[in-house]
Amino acid sequence: MAVWDDLVGQAKVEEQLAAAARDADALVTAHAAGQPDPEASKMTHAWLFTGPPGSGRATAARAFAAALQCVSPDRALGGAPGCGFCDGCHTTLVGTHADVEIVRTDLLSIGVKETRDLVRRAQLSPAGGRWQVIVLEDADRLTEGAGNVLLKAVEEPAPRTVWLLCAPSLEDVLPTIRSRCRHLTLRTPPVEAVADVLVRRDGIEPEAAHAAARATQGHIDRARRLATDERARARRAVVLKLPLRVGDVGGGLKAAQELVDAAAEDAKQVAEEIDVKETDELKQALGASQGGRMPRGTAGVMKELEDRQKRRRTRTQRDSLDLALTDLTGFYRDVLALQLRARSPLANTDVRDALERIAQETTPERTLRRIEAVLACREALDRNVAPLLAVEAMTMALRD
């Protein structure tokens, strides 16, 4: 299986990356033979992958990183890099390659300290692979200071270092950084392509796979979770009932509270799974006594871990809320499609009765205002507005 097989519905991007991987292979081969580099090359040292959520930005970046590290002997016979089976491809895809650093964050932002560590690593020559590759999956979460630190490294990269940055859009990255990157845009995968992946790779029944792909509108990870996780299906069902509950003030406020509580519960579950393990491991590393007493001088380290865990809980809660708001946007999009008699397929066919009821009771203008209210709630959460306040304002606006 070639490394590109995980890219769903991205034929154009796959073609561009495959061509760049061949050029990168030629560059390394020429350098090893003491020959001058080819004059015309599609390879560059900084790439920016953009596309909507679920398009597979990080998957494309990791596949490209694997192709850059491919050591398949078939290359000498004209085979393309990225076989998916050799040691270079396999270790990159599973995250254990010594010369590939994959950076993702479960916090709200990536700070200056973490970025400086990456820049220092980027200056190193490959330890055993063909390139030193840095995959930054959340480039949109760089603080302004961190972006300025990264700029110099992207502007003047080491000879065998490649930066692969991922972000939802060009506007999410500093202009000075994106102007120095080669830009690749991924699209939302077709529903049929996502359903096919769920059937082939996850063993999901075709009917369930199509329903999940259609409900998530082509978002691969969300579709897989919806098809395999009963809790995810239950939570989505609750969200899709919200439009029927906001007819009065009391119902709207209660629905808002339940939505925020569900997101907080998600954050709590993540904390229970990860925080205790992290804390125990750090205590052990710092030499805590059998009774749990910590050595002197370690209070600051423990406080830093607690702060990090708190930021992660905040991020998890906001991500959970954002997922619910995405489902709500899809609901009203279907309502608008019914009102305008559009030919586009509905995403939420499992609640068609509710869609038709609201479509008959309201007008397209009111539906558009409701979609705007949901989007305004998402923007408020991005600006660190208190979750309950933002969601309550949204549910009140949905009554109009």
Side-chain angles (χ1 to χ4, degrees):
M1 183 181 75
V3 297
W4 314 113
D5 289 351
D6 283 339
L7 273 68
V8 180
Q10 311 292 346
K12 183 177 179 180
V13 169
E14 178 183 336
E15 180 182 347
Q16 292 174 299
L17 292 177
R22 288 192 294 270
D23 279 12
D25 185 59
L27 285 172
V28 175
T29 302
H31 179 78
Q35 300 173 355
D37 294 340
E39 293 183 2
S41 176
K42 296 181 178 64
M43 183 56 190
T44 186
H45 291 76
W47 296 74
L48 177 57
F49 297 78
T50 63
S55 59
R57 301 184 300 263
T59 299
R62 288 194 297 269
F64 187 37
L68 292 177
Q69 303 292 12
C70 183
V71 292
S72 169
D74 293 342
R75 293 176 298 105
L77 303 175
C83 66
F85 296 102
C86 71
D87 184 67
C89 288
H90 176 71
T91 54
T92 298
L93 293 176
V94 300
T96 58
H97 197 292
D99 294 318
V100 179
E101 181 75 8
I102 298 178
V103 183
R104 62 177 68 88
T105 183
D106 49 13
L107 304 179
L108 295 174
S109 63
I110 300 175
V112 172
K113 181 179 180 298
E114 301 97 309
T115 308
R116 282 179 177 158
D117 291 340
L118 287 178
V119 170
R120 279 194 290 269
R121 168 160 183 160
Q123 300 305 312
L124 302 175
S125 297
R130 302 166 68 78
W131 297 87
Q132 180 77 247
V133 184
I134 312 292
V135 181
L136 187 54
E137 294 188 359
D138 300 293
D140 54 308
R141 295 189 180 273
L142 289 166
T143 63
E144 184 176 354
N148 291 330
V149 170
L150 179 63
L151 174 61
K152 187 69 172 178
V154 172
E155 191 174 27
E156 299 177 5
R160 297 275 290 279
T161 294
V162 181
W163 287 90
L164 307 180
L165 312 180
C166 305
S169 69
L170 286 174
E171 290 70 26
D172 292 311
V173 180
L174 288 176
T176 48
I177 292 180
R178 67 181 186 237
S179 65
R180 290 163 174 79
C181 297
R182 183 174 174 186
H183 181 213
L184 289 176
T185 303
L186 285 76
R187 63 171 185 153
T188 299
V191 169
E192 290 298 325
V194 174
D196 180 64
V197 168
L198 296 180
V199 172
R200 287 190 296 108
R201 298 184 191 168
D202 298 283
I204 298 170
E205 291 295 326
E207 185 176 349
H210 279 82
R214 184 173 58 250
T216 56
Q217 301 176 59
H219 193 299
I220 302 172
D221 291 336
R222 286 182 55 209
R224 181 177 291 110
R225 183 182 178 190
L226 190 62
T228 58
D229 188 346
E230 181 62 35
R231 290 187 306 174
R233 292 192 291 271
R235 192 169 295 114
R236 174 177 172 270
V238 171
V239 171
L240 297 184
K241 290 178 181 178
L242 188 144
L244 300 175
R245 302 176 57 194
V246 296
D248 59 85
V249 174
L253 294 178
K254 184 177 180 181
Q257 184 68 63
E258 291 176 358
L259 204 60
V260 173
D261 288 345
E265 182 62 26
D266 281 347
K268 182 180 178 181
Q269 289 177 358
V270 171
E272 290 175 349
E273 295 172 1
I274 301 176
D275 290 2
V276 174
K277 182 180 178 181
E278 279 184 345
T279 302
D280 290 343
E281 289 177 350
L282 182 58
K283 286 182 177 180
Q284 185 176 0
L286 294 175
S289 62
Q290 189 171 4
R293 185 174 181 180
M294 298 297 298
R296 291 184 178 180
T298 59
V301 179
M302 294 301 299
K303 180 65 165 61
E304 183 178 347
L305 176 63
E306 291 171 2
D307 291 342
R308 185 178 186 277
Q309 291 173 342
K310 183 178 179 180
R311 293 196 299 272
R312 181 168 59 207
R313 285 193 292 271
T314 301
R315 163 81 186 270
T316 303
Q317 182 178 10
R318 290 184 182 177
D319 285 351
S320 180
L321 276 176
D322 190 70
L323 181 59
L325 296 177
T326 300
D327 288 334
L328 201 55
T329 304
F331 180 94
Y332 284 116
R333 172 256 186 202
D334 284 349
V335 170
L336 188 63
L338 290 174
Q339 291 172 328
L340 299 178
R341 303 180 185 276
R343 296 183 179 180
S344 57
L346 301 180
N348 301 286
T349 54
D350 51 328
V351 290
R352 189 181 182 97
D353 290 345
L355 295 173
E356 292 179 345
R357 173 181 167 183
I358 293 181
Q360 293 171 0
E361 293 176 350
T362 61
T363 63
E365 291 78 13
R366 291 181 65 185
T367 302
L368 284 172
R369 287 198 297 270
R370 288 169 172 173
I371 293 175
E372 290 172 354
V374 179
L375 297 178
C377 182
R378 298 181 69 180
E379 292 175 0
L381 292 173
D382 284 340
R383 297 194 304 269
N384 294 325
V385 174
L388 183 57
L389 182 63
V391 177
E392 284 181 343
M394 178 195 72
T395 56
M396 292 301 98
L398 294 179
R399 298 177 59 246
D400 294 337

